[in-house]
PDB file of all heavy atoms in Angstrom:
ATOM      1  N   GLU W 298     122.890 100.694  99.952  1.00  0.00           N
ATOM      2  CA  GLU W 298     123.176 101.673  99.015  1.00  0.00           C
ATOM      3  C   GLU W 298     122.062 102.251  98.257  1.00  0.00           C
ATOM      4  O   GLU W 298     121.965 103.470  98.125  1.00  0.00           O
ATOM      5  CB  GLU W 298     124.153 101.025  97.929  1.00  0.00           C
ATOM      6  CG  GLU W 298     124.681 102.039  96.964  1.00  0.00           C
ATOM      7  CD  GLU W 298     125.644 101.304  95.902  1.00  0.00           C
ATOM      8  OE1 GLU W 298     126.008 100.093  96.057  1.00  0.00           O
ATOM      9  OE2 GLU W 298     125.906 102.098  94.926  1.00  0.00           O
ATOM     10  N   SER W 299     121.103 101.495  97.807  1.00  0.00           N
ATOM     11  CA  SER W 299     119.980 101.921  97.172  1.00  0.00           C
ATOM     12  C   SER W 299     119.025 102.663  98.128  1.00  0.00           C
ATOM     13  O   SER W 299     118.471 103.621  97.733  1.00  0.00           O
ATOM     14  CB  SER W 299     119.099 100.646  96.578  1.00  0.00           C
ATOM     15  OG  SER W 299     118.599  99.809  97.586  1.00  0.00           O
ATOM     16  N   ASN W 300     119.069 102.348  99.358  1.00  0.00           N
ATOM     17  CA  ASN W 300     118.181 103.065 100.396  1.00  0.00           C
ATOM     18  C   ASN W 300     118.900 104.464 100.613  1.00  0.00           C
ATOM     19  O   ASN W 300     117.997 105.364 100.635  1.00  0.00           O
ATOM     20  CB  ASN W 300     118.177 102.226 101.651  1.00  0.00           C
ATOM     21  CG  ASN W 300     116.997 102.695 102.523  1.00  0.00           C
ATOM     22  OD1 ASN W 300     115.852 103.019 102.091  1.00  0.00           O
ATOM     23  ND2 ASN W 300     117.217 102.810 103.861  1.00  0.00           N
ATOM     24  N   VAL W 301     120.217 104.451 100.622  1.00  0.00           N
ATOM     25  CA  VAL W 301     120.823 105.850 100.909  1.00  0.00           C
ATOM     26  C   VAL W 301     120.456 106.607  99.635  1.00  0.00           C
ATOM     27  O   VAL W 301     120.249 107.909  99.797  1.00  0.00           O
ATOM     28  CB  VAL W 301     122.207 105.677 101.127  1.00  0.00           C
ATOM     29  CG1 VAL W 301     122.957 106.991 101.008  1.00  0.00           C
ATOM     30  CG2 VAL W 301     122.531 105.000 102.507  1.00  0.00           C
ATOM     31  N   HIS W 302     120.561 106.127  98.454  1.00  0.00           N
ATOM     32  CA  HIS W 302     120.256 106.814  97.212  1.00  0.00           C
ATOM     33  C   HIS W 302     118.802 107.469  97.227  1.00  0.00           C
ATOM     34  O   HIS W 302     118.681 108.627  96.732  1.00  0.00           O
ATOM     35  CB  HIS W 302     120.558 105.963  95.991  1.00  0.00           C
ATOM     36  CG  HIS W 302     120.121 106.621  94.762  1.00  0.00           C
ATOM     37  ND1 HIS W 302     120.967 107.612  94.156  1.00  0.00           N
ATOM     38  CD2 HIS W 302     119.001 106.626  93.891  1.00  0.00           C
ATOM     39  CE1 HIS W 302     120.358 108.115  92.984  1.00  0.00           C
ATOM     40  NE2 HIS W 302     119.197 107.435  92.830  1.00  0.00           N
ATOM     41  N   CYS W 303     117.879 106.626  97.484  1.00  0.00           N
ATOM     42  CA  CYS W 303     116.491 107.112  97.400  1.00  0.00           C
ATOM     43  C   CYS W 303     116.183 108.162  98.537  1.00  0.00           C
ATOM     44  O   CYS W 303     115.360 109.063  98.294  1.00  0.00           O
ATOM     45  CB  CYS W 303     115.465 105.867  97.536  1.00  0.00           C
ATOM     46  SG  CYS W 303     115.393 105.015  99.041  1.00  0.00           S
ATOM     47  N   LEU W 304     116.892 108.018  99.739  1.00  0.00           N
ATOM     48  CA  LEU W 304     116.685 109.140 100.679  1.00  0.00           C
ATOM     49  C   LEU W 304     117.264 110.407 100.224  1.00  0.00           C
ATOM     50  O   LEU W 304     116.745 111.561 100.370  1.00  0.00           O
ATOM     51  CB  LEU W 304     117.288 108.656 101.948  1.00  0.00           C
ATOM     52  CG  LEU W 304     116.607 107.444 102.787  1.00  0.00           C
ATOM     53  CD1 LEU W 304     117.426 107.141 103.951  1.00  0.00           C
ATOM     54  CD2 LEU W 304     115.212 107.998 103.256  1.00  0.00           C
ATOM     55  N   TRP W 305     118.423 110.328  99.615  1.00  0.00           N
ATOM     56  CA  TRP W 305     119.109 111.499  99.068  1.00  0.00           C
ATOM     57  C   TRP W 305     118.400 112.076  97.904  1.00  0.00           C
ATOM     58  O   TRP W 305     118.174 113.374  97.846  1.00  0.00           O
ATOM     59  CB  TRP W 305     120.600 111.058  98.512  1.00  0.00           C
ATOM     60  CG  TRP W 305     121.160 112.138  97.708  1.00  0.00           C
ATOM     61  CD1 TRP W 305     121.897 113.060  98.186  1.00  0.00           C
ATOM     62  CD2 TRP W 305     121.205 112.186  96.276  1.00  0.00           C
ATOM     63  NE1 TRP W 305     122.459 113.815  97.155  1.00  0.00           N
ATOM     64  CE2 TRP W 305     121.968 113.358  95.925  1.00  0.00           C
ATOM     65  CE3 TRP W 305     120.567 111.504  95.249  1.00  0.00           C
ATOM     66  CZ2 TRP W 305     122.117 113.835  94.645  1.00  0.00           C
ATOM     67  CZ3 TRP W 305     120.776 111.885  93.845  1.00  0.00           C
ATOM     68  CH2 TRP W 305     121.578 113.099  93.614  1.00  0.00           C
ATOM     69  N   LEU W 306     117.786 111.365  96.988  1.00  0.00           N
ATOM     70  CA  LEU W 306     117.013 111.832  95.966  1.00  0.00           C
ATOM     71  C   LEU W 306     115.852 112.645  96.512  1.00  0.00           C
ATOM     72  O   LEU W 306     115.472 113.818  96.128  1.00  0.00           O
ATOM     73  CB  LEU W 306     116.504 110.684  95.105  1.00  0.00           C
ATOM     74  CG  LEU W 306     115.601 111.053  93.852  1.00  0.00           C
ATOM     75  CD1 LEU W 306     116.374 112.121  92.955  1.00  0.00           C
ATOM     76  CD2 LEU W 306     115.056 109.871  93.171  1.00  0.00           C
ATOM     77  N   ARG W 307     115.043 112.064  97.425  1.00  0.00           N
ATOM     78  CA  ARG W 307     113.890 112.750  98.071  1.00  0.00           C
ATOM     79  C   ARG W 307     114.361 114.023  98.748  1.00  0.00           C
ATOM     80  O   ARG W 307     113.747 115.132  98.543  1.00  0.00           O
ATOM     81  CB  ARG W 307     113.242 111.975  99.043  1.00  0.00           C
ATOM     82  CG  ARG W 307     111.970 112.564  99.676  1.00  0.00           C
ATOM     83  CD  ARG W 307     111.200 111.623 100.415  1.00  0.00           C
ATOM     84  NE  ARG W 307     111.910 111.113 101.686  1.00  0.00           N
ATOM     85  CZ  ARG W 307     111.580 110.276 102.588  1.00  0.00           C
ATOM     86  NH1 ARG W 307     110.226 109.716 102.459  1.00  0.00           N
ATOM     87  NH2 ARG W 307     112.178 109.997 103.620  1.00  0.00           N
ATOM     88  N   ASP W 308     115.438 114.009  99.418  1.00  0.00           N
ATOM     89  CA  ASP W 308     116.002 115.310 100.090  1.00  0.00           C
ATOM     90  C   ASP W 308     116.348 116.253  98.970  1.00  0.00           C
ATOM     91  O   ASP W 308     116.242 117.438  99.296  1.00  0.00           O
ATOM     92  CB  ASP W 308     117.196 114.959 100.897  1.00  0.00           C
ATOM     93  CG  ASP W 308     116.821 114.177 102.205  1.00  0.00           C
ATOM     94  OD1 ASP W 308     115.614 114.171 102.580  1.00  0.00           O
ATOM     95  OD2 ASP W 308     117.847 113.524 102.865  1.00  0.00           O
ATOM     96  N   MET W 309     116.996 115.861  97.967  1.00  0.00           N
ATOM     97  CA  MET W 309     117.487 116.847  96.858  1.00  0.00           C
ATOM     98  C   MET W 309     116.171 117.456  96.168  1.00  0.00           C
ATOM     99  O   MET W 309     116.115 118.695  96.002  1.00  0.00           O
ATOM    100  CB  MET W 309     118.203 116.079  95.852  1.00  0.00           C
ATOM    101  CG  MET W 309     118.702 116.963  94.744  1.00  0.00           C
ATOM    102  SD  MET W 309     119.645 115.992  93.570  1.00  0.00           S
ATOM    103  CE  MET W 309     118.293 115.205  92.703  1.00  0.00           C
ATOM    104  N   ILE W 310     115.117 116.711  96.092  1.00  0.00           N
ATOM    105  CA  ILE W 310     113.812 117.327  95.409  1.00  0.00           C
ATOM    106  C   ILE W 310     113.271 118.167  96.404  1.00  0.00           C
ATOM    107  O   ILE W 310     112.862 119.369  96.028  1.00  0.00           O
ATOM    108  CB  ILE W 310     112.942 116.216  95.055  1.00  0.00           C
ATOM    109  CG1 ILE W 310     113.466 115.324  93.882  1.00  0.00           C
ATOM    110  CG2 ILE W 310     111.569 116.757  94.677  1.00  0.00           C
ATOM    111  CD1 ILE W 310     112.512 114.043  93.571  1.00  0.00           C
ATOM    112  N   ALA W 311     113.279 117.835  97.743  1.00  0.00           N
ATOM    113  CA  ALA W 311     112.693 118.758  98.682  1.00  0.00           C
ATOM    114  C   ALA W 311     113.435 120.081  98.741  1.00  0.00           C
ATOM    115  O   ALA W 311     112.918 121.189  98.809  1.00  0.00           O
ATOM    116  CB  ALA W 311     112.712 118.082 100.068  1.00  0.00           C
ATOM    117  N   THR W 312     114.747 119.947  98.687  1.00  0.00           N
ATOM    118  CA  THR W 312     115.605 121.242  98.610  1.00  0.00           C
ATOM    119  C   THR W 312     115.378 122.070  97.469  1.00  0.00           C
ATOM    120  O   THR W 312     115.129 123.353  97.659  1.00  0.00           O
ATOM    121  CB  THR W 312     117.149 120.913  98.705  1.00  0.00           C
ATOM    122  OG1 THR W 312     117.244 120.106  99.896  1.00  0.00           O
ATOM    123  CG2 THR W 312     117.964 122.132  98.661  1.00  0.00           C
TER     124      THR W 312
END
Side-chain angles (χ1 to χ4, degrees):
E298 181 180 353
S299 66
N300 197 41
V301 169
H302 173 78
C303 69
L304 292 172
W305 169 82
L306 177 62
R307 184 174 64 181
D308 289 343
M309 184 182 70
I310 294 174
T312 301

